[in-house]
Amino acid sequence: DQQVKQNSPSLSVQEGRISILNCDYTNSMFDYFLWYKKYPAEGPTFLISISSIKDKNEDGRFTVFLNKSAKHLSLHIVPSQPGDSAVYFCAASDNDYKLSFGAGTTVTVRA
Amino acid sequence: NAGVTQTPKFRILKIGQSMTLQCAQDMNHNYMYWYRQDPGMGLKLIYYSVGAGITDKGEVPNGYNVSRSTTEDFPLRLELAAPSQTSVYFCASSYSRHSGNTIYFGEGSWLTVV
């Protein structure tokens, strides 16, 4: 049973515009959420995270928003750049060291 | 720094064969993990280890075995390979628990069972 869901398998955005990636979860015990970025033929790399006690975390061009009541989080990339073209995974943990991953969203940034 | 190193990168197995995916980390991390990623799916945890001599099952352990005799190494053994084990396998490590931001992944091992 998929506890973390990314319902949009792909997203295409023009360079300079905002990319918004969405993620929903079902396990109310999750208390830490992360976004990973993955290029082809490479392992995932950490991008940004947020604790359940916060509703927003910002790091440069990347901002993650958490809506606990809706069990929803989103990743905003502003402005989008060609190097942002990759697969983005949403992940969550429940006070443990194991992560549950979504299926990923492939972002393509058009010049 | 080598980080997390996986070998082999690519392998084709025949049904029923066995093989071991090697994983080594040089960061002195206590926690190590094996994930698999199927097309269109997220990463699923196969096995994990919280230290040398300690291993435990993840979400999808059937058909696999692991061992952790040293802090550095965490090999994944496939016994009697099946087509359902065709996947990309990622080894990862972290220093401590609840540190998702410091989980380091290897580059992946592409396995095809025919």
Side-chain angles (χ1 to χ4, degrees):
Chain A
D1 185 28
Q2 195 102 6
Q3 298 186 76
V4 178
K5 297 179 183 178
Q6 294 176 255
N7 292 318
S8 297
S10 63
L11 172 69
S12 180
V13 63
Q14 193 161 14
E15 183 178 359
R17 305 296 287 267
I18 184 171
S19 294
I20 299 177
L21 290 77
N22 294 304
C23 178
D24 297 294
Y25 62 95
T26 57
N27 188 344
S28 58
M29 298 302 292
F30 285 147
D31 65 348
Y32 199 67
F33 304 89
L34 309 96
W35 286 93
Y36 280 80
K37 179 178 180 178
K38 183 183 179 302
Y39 292 117
E42 294 184 10
T45 55
F46 169 74
L47 187 60
I48 192 169
S49 64
I50 187 166
S51 166
S52 60
I53 62 173
K54 295 185 176 181
D55 55 18
K56 177 183 175 181
N57 188 28
E58 193 171 351
D59 183 3
R61 297 185 297 112
F62 303 92
T63 303
V64 56
F65 296 91
L66 176 62
N67 182 334
K68 284 180 60 181
S69 61
K71 293 191 177 68
H72 177 84
L73 64 156
S74 61
L75 173 68
H76 292 206
I77 308 174
V78 183
S80 300
Q81 299 175 352
D84 297 331
S85 294
V87 179
Y88 291 79
F89 291 100
C90 174
S93 73
D94 56 353
N95 201 26
D96 203 334
Y97 29 77
K98 298 174 287 183
L99 296 176
S100 295
F101 284 84
T105 298
T106 300
V107 172
T108 303
V109 180
R110 309 184 310 270
Chain B
N1 273 345
V4 179
T5 304
Q6 294 179 231
T7 56
K9 197 165 182 71
F10 301 97
R11 182 74 186 267
I12 298 174
L13 273 183
K14 293 185 178 178
I15 294 171
Q17 285 186 320
S18 300
M19 75 159 296
T20 299
L21 296 175
Q22 301 290 346
C23 176
Q25 53 91 9
D26 62 359
M27 297 173 281
N28 202 31
H29 286 168
N30 291 321
Y31 298 78
M32 295 189 74
Y33 318 82
W34 274 106
Y35 286 90
R36 60 177 285 174
Q37 185 193 6
D38 299 326
M41 304 289 287
L43 283 73
K44 293 190 182 296
L45 184 64
I46 305 171
Y47 269 96
Y48 66 99
S49 169
V50 302
I54 306 169
T55 63
D56 208 345
K57 296 178 180 178
E59 298 175 74
V60 289
N62 291 342
Y64 307 94
N65 279 302
V66 293
S67 60
R68 185 94 183 271
S69 56
T70 67
T71 300
E72 295 78 18
D73 301 299
F74 191 41
L76 178 71
R77 178 86 177 158
L78 281 74
E79 305 282 2
L80 298 174
S84 61
Q85 293 178 302
T86 294
S87 190
V88 184
Y89 292 83
F90 291 99
C91 181
S93 71
S94 65
Y95 178 71
S96 64
R97 61 175 289 168
H98 209 214
S99 59
N101 59 320
T102 54
I103 290 182
Y104 296 88
F105 285 86
E107 292 187 339
S109 296
W110 275 254
L111 177 65
T112 302
V113 182
V114 296

